[in-house]
Amino acid sequence: MTEYLISAHTARLTVSPSSSQFFKGDSLTLSCEEDDSSAGWILKRNLTEGQGGECGHGWGRWSVSSCNISYILPWHSGVYWCESREGPISNMVNLTVTGGSVILQSPVLPVMEGDDVTLLCKTKTTPSNLPAAFYKDGSLIRKQPTGHMTIQHVSRSDEGLYKCDISGHGESPSSWITVTGEELHNGLTSYFIYTCT
């Protein structure tokens, strides 16, 4: 698990579709939603394999304030953020791309205390309503007959490392889910985000 200190920022990085895990071959768009369109935001990454740099420089297609990756590969796994040429950065997101057959769709951004959070265990080639087992920090939480699990009214105690398993298909990678209070939700000065790498 890696801990990042994020300073106050004027851009927000979003991921579409909203998930922290993707299958090899999927497409995704990362957008810098900016308060100041003149700031000159760029999308950067720090990959798990040590390669980095800006969107459009050897990876992805940059357009206005969004980066599209039309065919993602496992080496696209890593930490992404928006950065102004003046220096300030946005929130960071940690994305995992797997060549396996199961992923866990979970929130890519911190979730607010009191919210309901739904986790979806998906296979690449079959319907996404297969029975699945969900784990937190290595321990079984519950088995769900339809492949999705809702955590109602999340609290800080729900923070942790989640994964899922579908019998006969395999296990997803693990993703860290962060739960935050009102002060982070409102975007005040500085805060910590935890990601698993």
Side-chain angles (χ1 to χ4, degrees), residues 146-184:
T146 57
H148 68 272
M149 179 186 77
T150 298
I151 308 171
Q152 295 183 327
H153 309 300
V154 295
S155 66
R156 295 295 178 97
S157 65
D158 292 309
E159 276 195 336
L161 200 59
Y162 288 79
K163 66 180 180 179
C164 67
D165 180 88
I166 296 177
S167 179
H169 294 271
E171 185 177 274
S172 74
S174 297
S175 284
W176 184 269
I177 293 180
T178 299
V179 180
T180 183
E182 189 72 30
E183 68 279 1
L184 175 54

Side-chain angles (χ1 to χ4, degrees), residues 7-196:
S7 300
H9 55 77
T10 56
R12 181 171 181 264
L13 175 58
T14 61
V15 181
S16 180
S18 182
S19 178
S20 58
Q21 295 184 13
F22 295 89
F23 291 116
K24 174 185 174 181
D26 285 347
S27 63
L28 64 88
T29 299
L30 301 106
S31 300
C32 300
E33 297 180 353
E34 47 194 327
D35 297 332
D36 180 3
S37 59
S38 66
W41 293 97
I42 55 176
L43 184 81
K44 300 190 75 172
R45 69 179 185 178
N46 180 20
L47 297 179
T48 54
E49 294 187 4
Q51 302 176 33
E54 301 176 18
C55 175
H57 293 248
W59 62 275
R61 185 178 63 187
W62 181 255
S63 176
V64 188
S65 59
S66 295
C67 180
N68 177 258
I69 307 175
S70 59
Y71 191 96
I72 56 176
L73 296 166
W75 63 266
H76 284 112
S77 297
V79 179
Y80 292 75
W81 66 92
C82 300
E83 185 172 307
S84 167
R85 299 191 186 278
E86 285 72 40
I89 59 176
S90 70
N91 56 298
M92 292 180 173
V93 298
N94 189 18
L95 303 182
T96 299
V97 182
T98 178
S101 58
V102 177
I103 62 170
L104 175 66
Q105 282 195 338
S106 60
V108 67
L109 298 176
V111 295
M112 183 71 176
E113 281 188 295
D115 286 351
D116 294 343
V117 174
T118 297
L119 309 179
L120 176 62
C121 198
K122 290 185 62 177
T123 60
K124 186 174 179 65
T125 57
T126 58
S128 296
N129 57 355
L130 297 175
F134 292 85
Y135 297 83
K136 175 178 179 284
D137 299 329
S139 298
L140 177 67
I141 307 172
R142 69 185 79 154
K143 295 181 179 180
Q144 294 291 95
T146 57
H148 68 272
M149 179 186 77
T150 298
I151 308 171
Q152 295 183 327
H153 309 300
V154 295
S155 66
R156 295 295 178 97
S157 65
D158 292 309
E159 276 195 336
L161 200 59
Y162 288 79
K163 66 180 180 179
C164 67
D165 180 88
I166 296 177
S167 179
H169 294 271
E171 185 177 274
S172 74
S174 297
S175 284
W176 184 269
I177 293 180
T178 299
V179 180
T180 183
E182 189 72 30
E183 68 279 1
L184 175 54
H185 184 71
N186 287 336
L188 296 185
T189 52
S190 62
Y191 51 85
F192 288 99
I193 286 181
Y194 301 88
T195 59
C196 182

